Amino acid sequence: MTDRRRRGSGSGPRAPRRGPGELEAAVLGLLWASDAPATATWVQQRIGDDLAYSTVVTIMSRLYDKGLLTRSRHGRSYAYQPVSDEAGLAARRMRQVLDREDDRAAVLASFVSDLSDEDERTLRDLLRREARDPEDGRGG
């Protein structure tokens, strides 16, 4: 096998392949740091690794399809913005896991039993606060 065939196109060594979700996480990180909706061109210029524009568009479209981004027309393309911050995304993932389970009470009981003392205190404080003012702290 020639060196050219091992590399693929013969245009030089390829960057290591990213793990599952790494590119989506990198795009979300950039969008969270942005103070305004961003286009695929803006993301492509900042993400590095010489990613193709089409790759960035695909990732942003997938994030939109998953409900993680909103988008609005920006000329002939779209500008994207995260639906929630990092904490909101983590909470969404936790709800999705819980929604897939038949015995929600057992899952929650197991989760709570594994909390550290500090996390348990935090959860109790949050539940007390929620009981006092159900509209306080709701986000997403």
Side-chain angles (χ1 to χ4, degrees), residues 3-14:
D3 189 54
R4 173 178 237 191
R5 286 181 58 204
R6 265 182 280 155
R7 287 191 199 154
S9 67
S11 61
R14 288 186 175 168

Side-chain angles (χ1 to χ4, degrees), residues 11 16-17 20 23 28 31 33 38 54 68 70 76 81 98 108 114 116 120 122 124 137 139-140:
S11 61
R17 188 169 178 91
L23 190 52
L28 279 170
L31 293 173
S54 60
L68 301 177
T70 60
R76 293 181 355 168
Q81 194 164 13
L98 187 58
L108 287 169
D114 288 340
S116 68
E120 186 177 336
T122 300
R124 287 181 191 282

Side-chain angles (χ1 to χ4, degrees), residues 10 18 33 57 73 93 96 102 114-115 126-127:
R18 293 177 191 258
V57 169
R73 276 285 178 196
R93 288 178 179 149
Q96 288 172 336
D102 291 330
D114 288 340
L115 291 176
L126 290 169
L127 290 170

Side-chain angles (χ1 to χ4, degrees), residues 61-76:
S61 294
R62 286 180 183 165
L63 290 168
Y64 171 78
D65 290 343
K66 291 178 180 182
L68 301 177
L69 301 179
T70 60
R71 70 181 181 193
S72 57
R73 276 285 178 196
H74 189 271
R76 293 181 355 168

Side-chain angles (χ1 to χ4, degrees), residues 26-134:
V27 169
L28 279 170
L30 282 171
L31 293 173
W32 283 323
S34 172
D35 58 353
T39 64
T41 300
W42 184 90
V43 170
Q44 181 194 24
Q45 291 169 348
R46 286 158 182 80
I47 204 160
D49 288 345
D50 295 325
L51 286 175
Y53 174 80
S54 60
T55 301
V56 176
V57 169
T58 298
I59 293 300
M60 294 176 84
S61 294
R62 286 180 183 165
L63 290 168
Y64 171 78
D65 290 343
K66 291 178 180 182
L68 301 177
L69 301 179
T70 60
R71 70 181 181 193
S72 57
R73 276 285 178 196
H74 189 271
R76 293 181 355 168
S77 62
Y78 289 105
Y80 293 84
Q81 194 164 13
V83 170
S84 64
D85 60 10
E86 289 180 79
L89 178 58
R92 177 187 170 128
R93 288 178 179 149
M94 292 166 68
R95 283 190 303 270
Q96 288 172 336
V97 168
L98 187 58
D99 288 344
R100 287 192 299 263
E101 298 300 323
D102 291 330
D103 191 348
R104 295 171 70 96
V107 173
L108 287 169
S110 180
F111 176 76
V112 170
S113 70
D114 288 340
L115 291 176
S116 68
D117 290 344
E118 182 179 339
D119 286 343
E120 186 177 336
R121 276 191 298 278
T122 300
L123 182 57
R124 287 181 191 282
D125 291 345
L126 290 169
L127 290 170
R128 270 192 229 98
R129 189 181 321 152
E130 182 67 21
R132 284 193 307 268
D133 187 4

